[in-house]
């Protein structure tokens, strides 16, 4: 919600922005009261606001705000509100909403930390004026929990770079402490070095030409320094080389004479390779003619060879045709042979079947006689067995059955006794199972107690693998330590409550959970020296672990009425020494647990407690070192456990373990006793089995076998009688002999007819094969004749081929000789041209004066060289060195001339830039000094701003702020160590005020809590100067944030006061607010000049 009011005397504008439950926002127009009446004005003036002025800021789910809209004034905006209400949230919104880096705020580095707790995203929407006659521009930024952002300008998506370019165009300088001074960076202004202060001051005036000129001068001067060094170096080198050449001129003259002789000899020698070339040319022409003759001879031999090959080719064609005919004949012969084989096999098969059928007919008489004999034998067997079956017993005798029943009764009695023993054994087994179940449960509990430590160790090993080596070494050497060694600490702590485990793990430093604790220095040193492991933490506790833990802020019970339930050291169980170590290193005894988030602010306000834990978050209060009233609260969400994933006592509660071990031993003893009783019963059971049951069972089986044999013998006789009767019946039903003989003879006649037909087919196939064989013989004779004729022609062709090959080889040899001669000609010519180049008319004329004989010319060249060698020269490289230095001297003179011209040009540029920059800078500093001095004089102190010039060293130009707050002091440079916090605040705000009239190019300026630490007199005077300076026409929009202001301060019409409150009752008050009623009441009471800027009716 926002509302505002102006008084006729003090002209107070006001807007109320409040953080409401659920995020409601409202607004009302500004009003002006004159003479008891009122009219609404001030809205149209926003359309003519200067470029870069903030017209509107809308925040959603941003820091402390759910939703709020702020419409600041066009000149000075005073942002008032108690600490923690959200004043700085507006500054943060301006910074992050206009693409400023979070480091500029001195708060959280991650952009996601600016999203309201419990929300997935937040947003900032800022409207900036574009100047008179231009439409405003709106910048929108949506911030997500994954630290990503979405940007829009005037509703259209864009990149962050475009927003940065826009803020530069609108003169928004978020990185300039003279223009944007958040709460947590106020102290940094006094830390600015004089050189940095000059840079920030030039940037703060909004016109970048002065700052750009300064940077250009620094770059130009840096470039000239290297050039000056280069000119000096080249000048010295030039003088040195000239002196060196002057000292060797006489030797150079002699050297030139010798070189002239050598040059003449070399010039004569240039004809030698050309003489070699003429010799190679004559040799090439001769080999070329021979190669041509060899080529013509080869051509004639090729024609004779081609003619000899024609009859050979004709014979080869005839052979191919004959072989094709032979292949067809071979196929016909193969088919005839196959038919012969097939029909022969068929004849043989039919002959075998004929013989077999004859044997069958002959054996029919024997089979009939055998059948009659078998019938008679069966009739005799049937008569005999019928007589035996009639007299044989059909069931067992009564005395044998009585004996069987008597044995069965005795066996049943023995079996009953054995069953009773088995029943007792089953009861013992059930009792044993009743003991084994609780025994297994006890063993599982013991195993679980041990597995807690393993699980936590594994969690530690995942983060610190090197700890495994240390833990194993300590366990192996535990008996050798002087005193007990604890650790890792994670395995020594028992946290029954999972929420408390999360708090404990998040609160304590990570290294602490993997640390070991000793109570003897020698044990500690031994562990460290034996384990060469990085980041190994071994803490040696030398204090008394039995002493009571101290609570510096007070015991938790003292704050129970405020909702405090406990301290963090009371939520877990551990050895006293472990508790002391955790309290010493993690301050668990100064960390308190509270029931609700609603109690946090009250506890921080009424106690000295600085760290609180609720069920879902950690709250940390930070008080500024420079201002005790400046308090910030950081809230960190509760994270899941990573190390305390398995709850339980990692050190294994000894009492519980001993009790479980005792129970386990008792149960095991009972099991042993039951096992002995079971063994006794099994022994009795075995005795009954061997002495009674087994003999009775054997006797029973023997009698049963006798009864079974009697029954089986009668049944067996009956089965045999039935089988023989069936066989006799089958034999009597067999077919008569005469019928079978007629059928077999008919089959024999059919086989004979098929056999005659097959023999006829064999005869025809043999005749066809004879005809094919005759054709094959004739064709093979013709092919043999062609082979003979072909061999004779090939012998003759081989002679032609040999003559052709010899001619080819000779031609190739002649060509190779010609190629070698041609290559030699090319090489000699290349060598000659390499030494002399192509022959010019002048060179040809010179060659005509020399001998045309190679040996004679070579002797003349050698004589000229010997004359040159008789001239001695101690340094053979003297001429090269002399000429090289001459070339270097010429190059150095050219380079030096160019560098001096460049140096003069660069210096001229610097002088021109300096003439444009320095007077303006002096004028700027003079204006700042004038305003700064007057402002200090108005509060009864002295101050000056001085420009420290450094000649041509433009990167060392700086601004010094000198102040004096007491009469007995001299003016002293403002720094972070000499003046008090209040004095630095006064100096900072007055310097910024002195810049106000010069910063017309800025869009807006921000200063957060600059008045903190000032005494009331200075604050009142400074405020008057601030209102006067920042509300003049043409000054940029300004934001001044403070938790409080003195009463009865003087305001102007250009001052807008924004009051920010929060709390559970703000919405109720805001809903009852009526601005019109407020002004009517003030008009009636006549208290327009003395009443507070805001009144709630």
């Amino acid at each position: 919600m926002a509302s505002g009011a102006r008084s006729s005397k003090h002209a107070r504008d006001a807007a109320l922005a409040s953080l409401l439950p659920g995020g409601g926002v409202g607004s009302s127009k500004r009003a002006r009261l004159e003479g008891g009446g009122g009219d609404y004005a001030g809205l149209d003036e926003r359309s003519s606001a200067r470029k870069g002025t903030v017209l509107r800021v809308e925040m959603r789910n941003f820091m402390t705000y759910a939703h709020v809209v702020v419409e600041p004034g066009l000149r000075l905006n005073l942002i008032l509100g108690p600490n923690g209400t959200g004043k700085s949230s507006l500054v943060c919104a301006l910074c992050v909403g206009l693409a400023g880096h979070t480091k500029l705020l001195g708060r959280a580095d991650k952009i996601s930390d600016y999203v309201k707790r419990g929300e997935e995203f937040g947003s900032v929407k800022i409207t900036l004026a574009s100047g008179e006659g231009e439409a405003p521009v709106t910048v929108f930024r949506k911030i997500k929990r994954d630290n990503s952002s979405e940007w829009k300008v005037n509703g259209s998506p864009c990149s962050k770079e475009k927003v940065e370019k826009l803020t530069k165009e609108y003169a928004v300088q978020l990185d300039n402490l003279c223009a944007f001074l958040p709460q947590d960076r106020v102290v940094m202004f006094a830390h600015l070095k004089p050189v940095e202060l000059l840079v920030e001051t030039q940037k703060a005036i909004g016109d970048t030409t002065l700052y750009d000129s300064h940077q250009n001068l620094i770059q130009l001067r840096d470039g000239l320094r290297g050039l000056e060094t280069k000119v000096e170096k080249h000048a010295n080198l030039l003088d040195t080389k000239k002196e060196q050449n002057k000292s060797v001129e006489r030797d150079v003259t002699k050297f030139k004479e010798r070189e002239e002789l050598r040059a003449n000899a070399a010039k004569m020698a240039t004809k030698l390779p050309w003489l070699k070339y003429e010799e190679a040319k004559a040799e090439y022409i001769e080999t070329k003619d021979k190669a041509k003759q060899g080529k013509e001879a080869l051509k004639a031999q090729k024609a004779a060879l081609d003619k000899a090959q024609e009859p050979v080719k004709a014979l080869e064609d005839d052979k191919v045709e004959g072989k094709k005919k032979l292949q067809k004949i071979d196929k016909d012969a193969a088919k005839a042979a196959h038919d012969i084989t097939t029909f022969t096999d068929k004849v043989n098969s039919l002959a075998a079947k004929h013989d077999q059928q004859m044997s069958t007919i002959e054996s029919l008489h024997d089979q009939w006689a055998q059948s009659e004999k078998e019938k008679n034998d069966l009739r005799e067997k049937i008569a005999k067995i019928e007589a035996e079956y009639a007299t044989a017993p059909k069931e067992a005798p009564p005395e044998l059955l009585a004996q069987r029943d008597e044995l069965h009764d005795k066996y049943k009695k023995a079996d009953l006794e054995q069953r009773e023993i088995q029943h007792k054994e089953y009861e013992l087994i059930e009792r044993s199972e009743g003991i084994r179940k609780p025994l297994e449960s006890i063993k599982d509990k013991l195993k679980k107690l041990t597995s807690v430590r393993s699980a936590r160790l594994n969690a530690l090993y995942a983060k610190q693998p090197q700890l495994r080596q240390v833990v194993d070494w300590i366990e192996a050497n535990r008996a050798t330590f002087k005193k007990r060694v604890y650790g890792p600490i994670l395995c020594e702590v028992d946290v029954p409550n999972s929420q408390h485990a999360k708090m404990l793990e998040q609160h304590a430093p990570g290294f602490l959970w993997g640390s070991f604790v000793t109570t003897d220095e020698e044990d500690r040193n031994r562990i460290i020296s034996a384990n060469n492991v990085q980041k190994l933490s071994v803490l040696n506790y030398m204090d008394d672990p039995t002493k009571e833990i101290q609570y510096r802020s007070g015991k938790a019970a003292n704050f129970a009425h405020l909702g405090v339930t406990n301290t963090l050291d009371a939520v877990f169980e551990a050895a006293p020494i472990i508790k002391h170590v955790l309290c010493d290193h993690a301050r668990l005894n100064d960390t308190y647990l509270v029931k609700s988030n609603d109690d946090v602010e009250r506890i921080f306000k009424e106690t000295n407690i600085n760290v609180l834990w609720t069920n879902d978050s950690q709250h940390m209060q930070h008080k500024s070192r420079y201002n005790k009233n400046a308090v910030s609260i950081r809230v960190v969400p509760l994270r899941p456990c990573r190390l305390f994933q398995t709850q339980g006592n990692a050190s294994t509660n000894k009492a519980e373990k001993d009790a479980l071990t005792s129970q386990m031993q008792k149960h095991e003893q009972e099991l042993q006793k039951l096992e002995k009783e079971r063994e006794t019963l099994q022994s009795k059971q075995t005795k009954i089995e061997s002495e009674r049951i087994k003999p009775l069972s054997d006797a029973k089986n023997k009698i049963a076998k006798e009864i079974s044999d009697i029954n089986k013998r009668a049944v067996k006789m009956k089965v045999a009688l039935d089988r023989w009767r069936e066989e006799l019946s089958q034999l009597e039903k067999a077919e008569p002999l005469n019928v079978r003989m007629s059928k077999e003879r008919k089959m024999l006649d059919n086989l004979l007819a098929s056999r005659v037909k097959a023999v006829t087919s064999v005869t025809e196939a043999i005749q066809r094969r004879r005809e094919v064989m005759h054709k094959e013989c004739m064709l093979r004779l013709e092919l043999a004749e062609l082979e003979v004729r072909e061999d004779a022609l090939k012998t003759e062709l081989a002679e032609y081929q040999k003559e052709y090959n010899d001619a080819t080889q000779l031609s190739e040899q002649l060509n190779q000789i010609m190629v070698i001669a041609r290559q030699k000609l090319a090489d000699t010519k290349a060598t000659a041209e390499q030494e002399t180049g192509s022959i010019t008319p002048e060179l040809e004329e010179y060659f005509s004066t020399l001998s045309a004989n190679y040996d004679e010319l070579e002797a003349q060249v050698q004589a000229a060289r010997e004359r040159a060698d008789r001239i001695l020269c101690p340094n053979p490289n003297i001429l090269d060195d002399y000429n090289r230095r001459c070339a270097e001297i010429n190059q150095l003179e050219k380079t030096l001339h160019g560098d001096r011209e460049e140096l003069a040009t660069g210096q001229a540029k610097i002088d021109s830039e300096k003439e444009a920059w320095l007077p303006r800078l002096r004028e700027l500093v003079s204006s700042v000094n004038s305003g700064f001095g007057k402002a200090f004089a108005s509060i009864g102190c002295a101050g000056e701003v001085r420009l420290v010039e450094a000649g041509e060293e433009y990167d060392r130009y700086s601004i010094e702020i000198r102040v004096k707050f007491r009469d007995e002091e001299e003016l002293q440079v403002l720094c972070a160590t000499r003046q008090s916090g209040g004095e630095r605040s006064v100096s900072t705000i007055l310097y910024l005020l002195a810049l106000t009239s010069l910063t017309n190019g800025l869009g807006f300026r921000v200063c957060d809590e600059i008045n903190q630490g000032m005494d009331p007199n200075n604050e009142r005077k400074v405020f008057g100067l601030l209102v006067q300076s920042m509300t003049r026409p043409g000054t940029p929009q300004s934001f001044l944030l403070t938790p409080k202001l003195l009463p009865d301060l003087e305001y102007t019409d250009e001052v807008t006061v924004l009051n920010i409150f929060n709390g559970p009752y703000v919405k109720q008050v805001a809903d009852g607010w009526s601005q019109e009623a407020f002004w009517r009441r003030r008009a009636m009471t006549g208290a327009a000049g003395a009443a507070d800027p805001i009144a709630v009716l």
Side-chain angles (χ1 to χ4, degrees):
M1 172 177 287
S3 65
R6 293 186 179 183
S7 72
S8 59
K9 183 176 182 180
H10 300 285
R12 303 177 182 181
D13 282 355
L16 175 63
S18 57
L19 176 64
L20 304 178
V25 176
S27 65
S28 64
K29 298 180 179 178
R30 294 181 177 83
R32 180 181 178 87
L33 180 68
E34 293 185 1
D39 66 322
Y40 294 96
L43 292 176
D44 294 338
E45 64 182 12
R46 300 175 71 81
S47 62
S48 60
R50 60 185 292 144
K51 190 174 184 178
T53 300
V54 179
L55 301 180
R56 191 173 187 268
V57 180
E58 181 178 358
M59 294 170 274
R60 290 183 182 273
N61 299 329
F62 186 82
M63 297 183 71
T64 58
Y65 294 108
H67 180 210
V68 68
V69 177
V70 179
E71 296 183 355
L74 303 183
R75 291 288 182 268
L76 176 59
N77 292 273
L78 298 178
I79 315 297
L80 305 180
N83 288 322
T85 56
K87 301 187 302 300
S88 296
S89 297
L90 176 60
V91 178
C92 295
L94 291 172
C95 179
V96 302
L98 295 175
H101 199 284
T102 54
K103 291 183 179 179
L104 299 175
L105 299 170
R107 290 172 174 258
D109 290 336
K110 294 192 295 185
I111 191 65
S112 60
D113 291 339
Y114 292 87
V115 178
K116 189 172 184 285
R117 184 164 57 86
E119 302 294 338
E120 289 301 316
F121 64 86
S123 66
V124 178
K125 186 177 182 181
I126 300 173
T127 303
L128 298 177
S130 298
E132 188 170 359
E134 298 293 333
V137 64
T138 301
V139 179
F140 174 81
R141 183 178 189 179
K142 183 178 181 180
I143 306 167
K144 301 179 181 179
R145 278 292 179 190
D146 60 358
N147 291 309
S148 63
S149 297
E150 293 179 6
W151 297 89
K152 292 182 181 179
V153 173
N154 290 334
S156 299
C158 66
S159 64
K160 182 180 179 181
E161 289 71 20
K162 181 177 179 180
V163 177
E164 291 173 342
K165 184 178 179 181
L166 179 70
T167 57
K168 186 175 181 180
E169 178 186 346
Y170 279 63
V172 177
Q173 297 186 10
L174 299 174
D175 58 346
N176 188 343
L177 288 179
C178 294
F180 190 79
L181 195 60
Q183 172 185 345
D184 293 298
R185 300 188 77 211
V186 170
V187 69
M188 292 181 64
F189 187 87
H191 285 277
L192 285 176
K193 297 179 181 177
V195 173
E196 297 172 338
L197 183 60
L198 173 61
V199 172
E200 300 295 337
T201 300
Q202 291 179 109
K203 291 165 61 178
I205 64 174
D207 182 5
T208 60
T209 56
L210 195 62
Y211 169 75
D212 293 341
S213 295
H214 187 193
Q215 298 303 309
N216 192 28
L217 280 170
I218 293 173
Q219 294 175 4
L220 289 173
R221 184 58 191 148
D222 289 342
L224 283 190
R225 284 194 186 94
L227 191 57
E228 288 173 348
T229 303
K230 183 180 177 184
V231 168
E232 182 180 358
K233 179 181 177 182
H234 285 173
N236 293 335
L237 184 60
L238 181 61
D239 294 339
T240 300
K241 291 188 178 295
K242 285 183 176 180
E243 288 295 327
Q244 289 174 346
N245 273 8
K246 187 176 180 181
S247 64
V248 297
E249 285 180 352
R250 182 181 177 186
D251 292 336
V252 169
T253 301
K254 291 174 63 179
F255 191 86
K256 284 182 177 180
E257 181 183 356
R258 188 181 73 171
E259 291 303 311
E260 186 176 350
L261 288 171
R262 287 183 173 177
N264 187 34
K267 188 174 182 181
M268 293 170 62
T270 55
K271 187 176 180 181
L272 292 174
W274 286 107
L275 292 176
K276 289 281 188 183
Y277 168 72
E278 292 298 331
E279 293 177 1
K281 185 176 181 181
E283 182 181 352
Y284 170 67
I285 292 172
E286 181 183 357
T287 57
K288 184 178 180 182
D289 293 340
K290 291 181 179 180
K292 185 177 180 181
Q293 294 172 4
K295 187 174 182 182
E296 291 175 353
L298 178 63
K299 186 176 180 181
Q301 290 294 333
K302 181 68 168 64
L305 179 62
D306 292 342
K307 187 175 181 181
Q309 285 178 338
E310 290 177 359
V312 174
K313 188 174 184 303
L315 281 176
E316 288 178 348
D317 294 341
D318 292 343
K319 282 177 62 180
V320 170
E321 186 64 28
K323 287 180 179 179
K324 288 181 180 178
K325 293 179 179 179
L326 185 61
Q327 288 177 354
K328 184 177 183 305
I329 290 172
D330 288 341
K331 288 181 180 179
D332 293 342
K335 185 176 184 304
H338 179 267
D339 291 345
I340 292 171
T341 302
T342 301
F343 291 131
T344 301
D345 292 341
K346 187 174 182 180
V347 169
N348 294 334
S349 174
L350 290 171
K353 289 181 179 180
H354 181 270
D355 295 341
Q356 184 179 1
Q357 188 64 24
M358 288 297 294
S359 299
T360 301
I361 293 172
E362 292 175 356
S363 64
L364 279 178
H365 293 284
D366 297 336
Q367 291 177 4
W368 180 258
Q370 181 65 26
S371 175
E372 289 298 323
K373 183 177 181 302
E374 288 177 359
K375 290 178 185 179
N376 295 328
D377 292 341
L378 284 174
R379 291 187 185 99
E380 291 178 359
K381 287 181 180 180
I382 291 170
K384 183 179 178 181
I385 202 168
E386 284 176 347
E388 291 180 2
Y389 181 73
T391 59
K394 305 298 186 294
E395 58 182 13
E399 59 273 11
L400 191 60
L401 295 175
Q403 187 178 357
R404 182 191 65 182
D405 294 340
E406 182 182 358
L407 289 173
H408 178 72
D409 292 339
K410 292 180 180 179
Y411 178 85
K412 187 176 180 180
K413 183 178 179 182
D415 183 62
L416 182 61
E417 292 181 12
Q418 188 181 39
R419 289 179 183 277
E420 289 177 356
I421 294 173
Q422 288 178 346
H423 180 69
K424 292 179 181 179
E425 184 181 3
Y426 292 151
E427 289 179 350
L428 291 177
I429 291 173
E430 290 178 358
R431 289 172 60 189
S432 298
E433 289 300 321
I435 295 172
R436 280 194 178 90
K437 288 182 179 179
L439 180 61
E440 292 300 324
S441 176
I442 292 170
K443 288 181 178 180
D444 289 342
K445 289 180 180 179
L446 285 172
K447 186 177 179 181
K448 186 176 180 182
L449 287 174
T450 306
S451 65
V452 170
R453 177 179 177 86
S454 299
R456 293 190 182 177
L457 283 175
N458 289 333
L460 276 177
Y461 295 158
K463 295 184 68 177
Q464 305 176 51
Q466 67 275 15
L467 278 182
R468 186 185 297 275
Q469 168 190 333
V470 183
V471 171
D472 292 344
W473 185 88
I474 290 176
E475 291 300 328
N477 296 275
R478 187 172 294 280
T480 63
F481 292 120
K482 288 188 174 182
K483 295 182 180 179
R484 180 177 176 182
V485 176
Y486 298 84
I489 290 180
L490 179 68
C491 298
E492 302 289 346
V493 175
D494 178 20
V495 193
N497 186 287
S498 60
Q499 288 294 104
H500 293 163
K502 295 176 185 177
M503 297 175 188
L504 192 62
E505 180 177 330
Q506 186 170 336
H507 186 85
F511 81 92
L512 206 55
W513 299 119
S515 300
F516 299 86
V517 180
T518 63
T519 53
D520 186 88
E521 185 68 22
E522 186 176 337
D523 288 343
R524 177 182 181 274
N525 294 337
R526 185 180 170 203
I527 293 172
I528 294 175
S529 61
N531 296 275
N532 185 19
V533 174
Q534 291 184 351
K535 298 182 181 180
L536 174 60
S537 175
V538 183
L539 309 174
N540 191 47
Y541 188 80
M542 301 301 294
D543 207 347
D544 181 11
T546 61
K547 71 177 183 181
E548 186 177 354
I549 295 175
Q550 300 299 314
Y551 301 92
R552 287 183 290 183
S553 299
K555 293 186 177 181
N558 298 341
F559 311 118
H561 64 285
L562 297 175
V564 174
T565 60
N566 228 327
T567 51
L568 196 54
D569 66 305
V571 301
F572 66 94
E573 296 295 333
I577 189 171
I578 299 299
K579 282 211 171 189
H580 277 282
V581 169
L582 286 172
C583 288
D584 291 346
H585 288 79
R587 301 184 65 179
L588 304 183
N589 49 332
D590 286 338
T591 305
Y592 296 79
L593 277 64
V594 63
K595 294 179 180 177
S596 171
N597 289 325
D598 297 335
D599 300 325
V600 171
E601 185 176 354
R602 181 184 174 194
I603 294 172
F604 281 152
K605 185 176 180 181
E606 297 182 10
T607 70
N608 292 326
I609 296 173
N610 290 319
V611 183
L612 289 171
W613 276 100
T614 64
N615 281 334
D616 59 358
S617 56
Q618 182 188 37
H619 302 257
M620 293 173 285
Q621 178 179 245
H622 172 70
K623 296 181 180 179
S624 174
R625 292 179 294 173
Y626 307 100
N627 181 7
K628 294 182 179 178
N629 295 324
V631 177
S632 62
I633 299 175
R634 183 185 178 196
V635 180
V636 180
L638 184 63
R639 295 190 296 268
C641 283
R642 294 184 179 180
L643 300 176
F644 283 99
Q645 295 176 350
T646 305
Q647 295 303 319
N649 187 355
S651 60
T652 313
N653 189 310
K654 189 175 184 305
E656 184 180 359
K657 186 175 181 181
D658 292 344
L660 290 173
T661 304
S662 176
Q663 293 178 24
M664 181 180 69
Q665 292 174 350
K666 181 179 178 182
H667 287 317
E668 287 177 346
Q669 290 174 358
E670 292 179 3
L671 280 176
Q672 291 176 0
K673 181 179 178 182
L674 293 174
E675 189 63 28
K676 288 182 179 179
E677 293 180 10
R678 185 182 173 191
E679 289 176 357
T680 302
L681 291 175
Q682 287 178 343
S683 177
K684 291 181 179 179
Q685 187 176 348
T686 302
K687 185 177 181 181
I688 292 173
E689 177 71 26
S690 60
E691 295 181 358
R692 296 172 61 189
I693 292 180
K694 190 174 185 309
L696 289 172
S697 178
D698 293 343
K700 277 178 60 182
N701 292 336
K702 184 178 180 182
I703 293 174
K705 186 176 183 303
E706 291 180 6
I707 295 172
S708 175
D709 289 344
I710 292 172
N711 294 332
K712 284 180 180 179
R713 186 165 176 270
V715 172
K716 186 176 180 180
M717 292 173 66
K718 181 69 169 60
V719 170
L721 184 62
D722 294 339
R723 185 176 72 253
W724 290 336
R725 287 173 178 170
E726 179 64 26
E727 289 178 4
L728 180 60
S729 174
Q730 292 297 328
L731 288 174
E732 289 175 346
K733 292 178 181 179
E735 191 176 23
L737 177 62
N738 58 346
V739 176
R740 288 191 63 189
M741 286 292 289
S742 175
K743 290 181 179 180
E744 294 298 335
R745 288 187 182 280
K746 187 177 181 179
M747 290 176 62
L748 182 63
D749 294 341
N750 292 335
L751 284 174
L752 185 59
S754 298
R755 187 177 180 186
V756 171
K757 186 177 179 180
V759 169
T760 302
S761 297
V762 170
T763 304
E764 291 174 355
I766 291 173
Q767 183 60 34
R768 288 198 307 273
R769 190 166 186 275
R770 285 176 181 172
E771 293 173 358
V772 170
M773 291 298 293
H774 177 71
K775 292 180 181 180
E776 181 181 5
C777 287
M778 297 303 294
L779 186 57
R780 288 189 181 278
L781 288 173
E782 292 176 4
L783 288 175
E785 183 179 355
L786 290 176
E787 290 284 349
V788 172
R789 292 174 58 194
E790 183 183 21
D791 290 342
L793 289 174
K794 283 187 175 180
T795 301
E796 184 180 355
L797 182 62
E799 293 295 328
Y800 283 104
Q801 183 68 47
K802 183 176 182 303
E803 292 175 0
Y804 174 75
N805 292 341
D806 292 342
T808 302
Q809 185 176 3
L810 178 60
S811 178
E812 289 176 353
Q813 290 175 351
L814 291 173
N815 283 333
Q816 289 177 357
I817 293 171
M818 182 189 69
V819 169
I820 293 171
R822 184 169 56 199
Q823 184 63 41
K824 182 179 180 181
L825 177 64
D827 292 344
T828 55
K829 184 178 181 181
T831 302
E833 289 179 344
Q834 184 177 4
E835 295 185 9
T836 63
S838 58
I839 298 180
T840 62
E842 294 82 3
L843 187 60
E844 187 174 2
E845 183 179 355
Y846 174 73
F847 281 170
S848 66
T849 62
L850 301 176
S851 174
N853 184 276
Y854 182 86
D855 295 336
E856 183 179 343
L857 182 60
E858 187 177 26
Q860 292 174 1
V861 170
Q862 184 62 30
R865 287 173 177 169
E866 288 175 356
R867 286 198 304 273
D869 290 341
R870 285 195 290 270
I871 299 174
L872 299 178
C873 186
N875 183 4
N877 299 321
I878 190 169
L879 184 60
D880 292 339
D881 294 342
Y882 180 83
N883 292 333
R884 177 177 50 77
R885 280 194 292 272
C886 287
E888 291 175 353
I889 288 170
N890 291 334
Q891 185 61 40
L892 281 172
E893 288 175 343
K894 292 179 182 179
T895 303
L896 195 58
H897 179 71
D899 289 345
R900 284 172 174 163
E901 287 184 350
E902 185 180 352
L903 185 62
T905 303
Q907 188 61 48
K909 287 183 180 178
I910 290 177
D911 294 340
S912 174
E913 191 77 43
K914 182 177 181 180
E915 289 175 3
W917 170 71
L918 189 55
R920 289 184 60 202
L921 179 61
R922 288 170 177 165
E923 182 182 354
L924 169 65
V925 176
S926 176
S927 299
V928 175
N929 179 49
S930 175
F932 189 70
K934 290 178 182 178
F936 257 82
S938 67
I939 64 172
C941 301
E944 69 174 13
V945 178
R946 179 185 300 175
L947 175 65
V948 180
E949 300 184 15
E952 295 294 315
E953 304 298 324
Y954 300 104
D955 56 345
R956 294 172 58 188
Y957 276 66
S958 61
I959 286 181
E960 285 186 352
I961 299 177
R962 295 177 174 269
V963 295
K964 183 178 76 170
F965 289 92
R966 286 164 283 279
D967 293 336
E968 65 274 9
E969 291 180 347
E970 297 293 332
L971 286 170
Q972 296 178 335
V973 176
L974 178 67
C975 66
T977 57
R978 184 175 288 119
Q979 287 79 20
S980 67
E983 291 171 347
R984 291 198 300 274
S985 297
V986 170
S987 303
T988 301
I989 191 62
L990 293 183
Y991 186 80
L992 297 178
L993 290 177
L995 284 175
T996 301
S997 62
L998 305 172
T999 56
N1000 296 333
L1002 284 179
F1004 63 86
R1005 300 196 307 176
V1006 174
C1007 191
D1008 194 352
E1009 297 196 15
I1010 194 64
N1011 63 330
Q1012 298 305 298
M1014 295 185 191
D1015 62 80
N1017 290 330
N1018 284 341
E1019 183 175 353
R1020 188 174 297 278
K1021 293 175 183 178
V1022 168
F1023 184 81
L1025 292 171
L1026 184 146
V1027 172
Q1028 181 182 356
S1029 299
M1030 292 188 173
T1031 58
R1032 286 198 297 267
T1035 56
Q1037 182 187 43
S1038 300
F1039 295 87
L1040 178 64
L1041 288 81
T1042 178
K1044 52 87 180 177
L1045 281 177
L1046 296 173
D1048 299 326
L1049 295 174
E1050 294 296 329
Y1051 300 87
T1052 70
D1053 289 353
E1054 301 299 328
V1055 177
T1056 299
V1057 180
L1058 296 167
N1059 284 296
I1060 299 180
F1061 299 95
N1062 66 7
Y1065 304 108
V1066 172
K1067 186 176 189 303
Q1068 178 182 348
V1069 175
D1071 290 342
W1073 167 257
S1074 172
Q1075 185 169 259
E1076 289 77 7
F1078 167 72
W1079 287 115
R1080 283 197 302 272
R1081 190 178 70 169
R1082 290 191 34 113
M1084 289 187 295
T1085 59
D1092 292 334
I1094 299 278
V1096 179
L1097 302 180

